[in-house]
Amino acid sequence: MSTHSFDLAIIGSGSGNSLVTPHWDDRRVAIFEAGVFGGTCLNRGCIPTKMYAYPAQLAASPAEAARLGVDLRYQGTDWTALRDRIFSRIDAISRGGRTYRAETLENTTLIEDEVRFADQHTLVTASGERIQAEQIVVAAGSRPRLPQVPGIELPQVHTSDTFMRIARLPERLVVVGGGYIAAEFASVFSALGTTVVQVNRSERLLRHHDETISERFTQQARSQWELKTGWELAGVEDGLNGWVSVQFTGPTNTGFSVDADAVLVATGRIPNSDRLDPEAAALDLHEDGRLVVDEYQRILSGGEPVPGLWALGDISSPWQLKHVANHEQRLVSHNLEHPEDLRRNDLGPVPAAVFARPEVASVGLTEAQALEQFGADRITVKVQGMGDVAYGWAMEDSQGLCKIIADRQDGTLLGAHLIGHDASNLIQPLVQAMSFGLTAHQMARGQYWPHPALSEVIENALLGLAVPDSGLL
Ligand SMILES: Cc1cc2nc3c(=O)[nH]c(=O)nc-3n(C[C@H](O)[C@H](O)[C@H](O)COP(=O)(O)OP(=O)(O)OC[C@H]3O[C@@H](n4cnc5c(N)ncnc54)[C@H](O)[C@@H]3O)c2cc1C
Ligand SMILES: NC(=O)c1ccc[n+]([C@@H]2O[C@H](COP(=O)([O-])OP(=O)(O)OC[C@H]3O[C@@H](n4cnc5c(N)ncnc54)[C@H](O)[C@@H]3O)[C@@H](O)[C@H]2O)c1
């Protein structure tokens, strides 16, 4: 067994790929990638899902148009053309990145193999190569978690990893789960013409979101596709003509089944730490399997940072979000390059958006979390309907809303939640205000809001909070 030495070893080519900055030009870098180059976001996550979300929005527009007196017709989707357009663009980027790392850059070695720890500074690949590196960054991401029920291995059962490349648009799709992925895929496939049956364990979809948003989203989902709540996946059985029977159980031994030609299981993602043999390096783990890191992204062992070991992204973060993984990559890059000036991971509140129909976006505390942390006397909450500001009124919108939670003593924003048209973009001024410490009244009255843009929903929500007047007009 041969041993190779590197200055930097990176496990995972998602956000980890961007660690190879010019600083490493004269040093030796190894990148391990056991799967497709570029990681989750590019190949099977954020990017392809959003490349489906926009066409699906167009496909869904006739119903919305009819409400306003415009006659549109949806005449179907050429699934093969749509799928191949999406993946011809994505696969080209992945191939280009792989070629650059494997062939163009002289100082990097791409090792396309599964790797694990042998000890804290030695990695060993599945084919038996041993690699020692002064610095090791674990950016190994997460993977879908599958409930271990009979039939889960049937070819009709998919996760988000495989579903976007299926051969045909399904006739009838069962979506299991009620989180981000389930919401986005149910929205896309129901719009494209598939009959969607979504089945979830809890009563509310997006249940980690603020209750007002989660309730509104659940109601909206129910009006667009069949939704069954309070049921757990029990098994999948092979049926006739390539279809399967998907079985669910309820709390009192009741049950039902749905026949479908495809099943998407979206029941959460688990960190890939188990693939790395973290015990061999005595690495600390959270209960959910994430690597434990300190505020500088250094991996801990026995509660202490291990010199030369770092982690970023889904493998260690409580947020399974690409903008978080990218921020942590920039932080680790800085800390690797400036050991005398380590920076902390203390960026402000983390926003998230669900690109479903309707869109959802949120930042900061939910009302329930704010109540628990600050108490009812301390917080003020305003829910502003989109239909009550000019643009939303013009759209005759009756579903969109913006909910803001603030500290009534000093007007600090604690949380903001939007559902409805363009929520993923509308949230940004609120993220900015929370990140830079603007108070609610300063934010509402210290700037112009273009009239009659939909962003007036935020201005009005801010003005509806019981917060101190900033003196601005
Ligand atoms: C369907 C879907 C949609 C999403 N949409 C969004 C979105 O809209 N916005 C958003 O912010 N986030 C979204 N996410 C989440 C986002 O994709 C992840 O948070 C992000 O990609 C994590 O990046 P990472 O670098 O930590 O890991 P990854 O990009 O997963 O990279 C890890 C890499 O490590 C490799 N690897 C793992 N173990 C080993 C090993 N032992 N040896 C060698 N290689 C290994 C894997 O093959 C993988 O390529 C989505 C996720 C999914 C699944
Ligand atoms: N737009 C985005 O930012 C975006 C999009 C997709 C994914 N993501 C990231 O990927 C992560 C994973 O997405 P996800 O939707 O798989 O997870 P999730 O954590 O959002 O939701 C998981 C769902 O599965 C349900 N569930 C869990 N175990 C179950 C079981 N045994 N039977 C039935 N239901 C069960 C849960 O109740 C929940 O509704 C998200 O948390 C998010 O961070 C982000």
Side-chain angles (χ1 to χ4, degrees), residues 114-126:
E114 183 80 17
V115 74
R116 58 181 173 79
F117 281 96
D119 60 47
Q120 289 186 342
H121 295 284
T122 312
L123 300 169
V124 58
T125 65

Side-chain angles (χ1 to χ4, degrees), residues 45-46 49-50 142 144-148 160 176-185 199-202 204-208 231-233 248 265-269 314 318-323 351-355:
C46 332
T49 47
K50 274 77 245 183
S142 61
R145 177 181 40 222
L146 282 171
Q148 288 313 304
S160 54
V176 185
Y180 283 66
I181 294 179
E184 291 185 356
F185 279 77
V199 187
N200 193 37
R201 224 171 26 181
S202 49
R204 285 191 285 112
L205 303 180
L206 302 180
R207 72 189 164 98
H208 296 301
W231 301 96
E232 197 162 344
L233 181 66
F248 294 91
V265 181
T267 48
R269 294 177 61 84
D314 285 10
W319 305 94
Q320 294 177 334
L321 296 168
K322 182 64 173 173
H323 41 283
V354 188
F355 297 81

Side-chain angles (χ1 to χ4, degrees), residues 12-15 17 33 35-45 94 139 322:
S13 67
S15 292
N17 182 41
E33 178 50 72
V36 184
F37 191 90
T40 303
C41 176
L42 172 66
N43 293 296
R44 50 190 178 275
S94 171
K322 182 64 173 173

